[in-house]
Structures are given as C-alpha cells and as structure tokens.
Amino acid sequence: MKIKQVLSALEQFAPLPLQESWDNAGLQLGLTEAEVSGALLCLDVNEQIVDEAIRKGCNMIVSHHPLLFHGLKQITDADYVQRCVIKALKNDIVIVSMHTNMDNAKNGVNWKIAEKLGLQDCQFFAQKAVDGLEAGSGVVGSLPSEMEAKAFIELVKNQFNTECAQCNELLQRPIRKVAICGGAGDFLLPDALAQGADAFITGEMHYHVFFGYEQKIQICVIGHYQSEQYTAEIFRDIIRQACPDVRTEIAETSTNPIVYL
C-alpha cells in the first residue's frame, strides 16, 4: 500500500475544498509513491512526534494541525518547524495534515466530540455548501436525558480529561440540546444560541465573548488540545476501513503546550 493511497482515503473522507481559505491542509512534505511502513496519528507535529514516528518505524505522520501554515524562507535549525522538516526529510517521513477540512466534514472532529458525549440526533449547524458536499462548522445534538448544568460540566471534564473548564454562570434550567465546535469556536456562539442549544462546548474563547449570555446558554470551554484530542481516532478508523493492511499508531506523545498549575 502506497502513501498516496492512504492520502487519497483521507481526502475522500474530508475533501480539501472543505478547508477554510486561510488554512493549509493536505500534503505537507515528502514523497507519496513510497510504500507505507506505518502511520503515526496525532494532533500536532513537533520534534517529539517525528522522533516517535522514527522509533515506531512509521514513514507517515497524519496530524490535525498543519506543521506548515506559512511559507518557509529558509530551512535551518532556527525553530521547531524547520527542525521538523529537516528531520522528517532525512528519515523519509511524509507529513499529511487534515485540519479545517476535517473540522467541516461529516463525521469529522465535531461529530467525534458529540460521540464522546453520547449525543443523539446530531446535525450540522452553520452549514456550508462546498462542491455539493454536506459540511458545517458546528454540530448540534441532544443528550439522552436532561442534566443539571454542574453535572453536565463534570461529564464534559471527565470525558475529555481536562483539569478545569471555563464557564459562564451555571444555567438554572436543565441542559438537553448541546452545540459543539472543537478548537477555537467562539465565532459560533450566536449560531448555537439561534439553534436553541442549552449549552455550547468549544476549545477556546476570547474573554469578551463570554459577556451577555448569562442564563441564555451554558458556555463550557475545555481547552483547544482537549477538545480535539480524539481526532486521531477518526484518522485511524478511515485508514483501517480504506487501507486495512496499513499499520496505524495513535501517538503517545502529548503535544499540548499548555500546562495547568
């Protein structure tokens, strides 16, 4: 099985036209005609991830966040991005990133978050039509039964292994309908409210956006890394289904740069 076949399977699931205009998803570096020795699946690419790929004999890394967002004017040891490029090329490792195309895809990042929370009857909100593909920036669904706000927040924290959550004041009515946007999703908060959601979960949100939603919707911000940490499971399932002979490894290295003290 060649790397280009794995890349094709990923892009069929989350086509590149679904990515946002500012993004740089898809093939990051390397030659795709090589046979796959293994695919390491992760959220971010740093030097420790490349080292793990080398150690595990994986010549392909599939990440959510692109290693290369902007063009490089030099390739030296000046920063971790350039060092990753050098190390990956020296070791014949291909790097592929499925970013906002996977955020916007059916059964993508937000659907995985919904799955972890046991949400039912999920559907897109903030929908977009791209080349006739069903897509959307957020997902909304319902809990199996109503929950008090504090219990709901504890559920979210437990399911996403987060030490704390940033919330507005506790909602004084039961929570049933939940809107989701992994990563930095505060731009969708008004849309979540318009959907009639009782709660909105995202990874990060600007301070001033919290104002004005008291007793309208329960905000629950759990951290960018935490909200998207299960994206590697999506990559694994895509590859297992389309390329069952390819070995997949979910990265053991945590790439979260934020430490809670």
Side-chain angles (χ1 to χ4, degrees):
M1 184 71 66
K2 293 188 175 182
I3 288 174
K4 68 179 182 181
Q5 292 171 278
V6 179
L7 176 59
S8 176
L10 291 164
E11 291 184 357
Q12 283 180 29
F13 185 96
L16 292 181
L18 294 183
Q19 71 179 310
E20 302 296 335
S21 60
W22 46 264
D23 200 8
N24 187 39
L27 179 64
Q28 299 282 289
L29 62 92
L31 304 177
T32 63
E33 286 291 341
E35 291 188 5
V36 189
S37 62
L40 185 68
L41 316 175
C42 57
L43 190 66
D44 311 282
V45 180
N46 59 18
E47 291 169 273
Q48 291 73 34
I49 287 289
V50 179
D51 287 337
E52 184 175 343
I54 295 168
R55 188 169 66 251
K56 292 183 173 179
C58 296
N59 64 349
M60 183 177 190
I61 294 173
V62 182
S63 70
H64 182 46
H65 296 138
L67 174 66
L68 303 176
F69 262 115
H70 309 290
L72 296 176
K73 294 187 177 181
Q74 60 182 19
I75 301 178
T76 68
D77 64 351
D79 58 48
Y80 86 92
V81 173
Q82 295 179 58
R83 291 193 295 270
C84 282
V85 170
I86 293 171
K87 185 174 287 189
L89 290 175
K90 277 186 174 181
N91 289 276
D92 297 320
I93 293 173
V94 171
I95 299 178
V96 171
S97 300
M98 298 283 111
H99 191 211
T100 53
N101 54 321
M102 189 61 72
D103 289 331
N104 291 328
K106 181 73 177 290
N107 297 318
V109 175
N110 296 316
W111 298 80
K112 176 59 72 172
I113 297 170
E115 174 192 314
K116 294 295 181 180
L117 293 173
L119 299 189
Q120 303 170 342
D121 303 319
C122 295
Q123 58 185 346
F124 282 121
F125 72 100
Q127 287 180 280
K128 53 185 73 178
V130 181
D131 296 341
L133 299 170
E134 185 182 4
S137 298
V139 166
V140 62
S142 297
L143 293 163
S145 58
E146 293 181 342
M147 298 184 72
E148 293 183 351
K150 189 172 182 180
F152 170 74
I153 291 166
E154 288 302 318
L155 169 69
V156 176
K157 287 170 61 180
N158 289 336
Q159 290 299 103
F160 290 87
N161 302 308
T162 186
E163 294 90 335
C164 63
Q166 292 181 311
C167 307
N168 59 347
E169 67 178 27
L170 290 177
L171 199 65
Q172 298 303 309
R173 68 171 192 270
I175 291 173
R176 184 70 183 272
K177 194 172 185 179
V178 180
I180 294 166
C181 182
D186 58 10
F187 68 101
L188 280 184
L189 184 53
D191 297 278
L193 190 63
Q195 287 288 319
D198 302 305
F200 177 65
I201 300 171
T202 191
E204 61 179 281
M205 212 168 84
H206 289 87
Y207 172 78
H208 291 285
V209 181
F210 281 86
F211 286 98
Y213 290 92
E214 297 81 7
Q215 298 308 315
K216 293 180 180 179
I217 191 169
Q218 181 67 65
I219 297 169
C220 185
V221 181
I222 61 174
H224 198 124
Y225 177 91
Q226 287 85 348
S227 71
E228 298 181 328
Q229 63 186 295
Y230 299 117
T231 304
E233 293 182 6
I234 306 173
F235 301 150
R236 178 197 62 197
D237 294 344
I238 294 167
I239 296 170
R240 281 182 177 177
Q241 183 172 358
C243 311
D245 294 333
V246 172
R247 176 171 61 93
T248 56
E249 300 273 357
I250 291 181
E252 298 174 82
T253 304
S254 171
T255 56
N256 189 0
I258 298 172
V259 178
Y260 294 85
L261 300 176

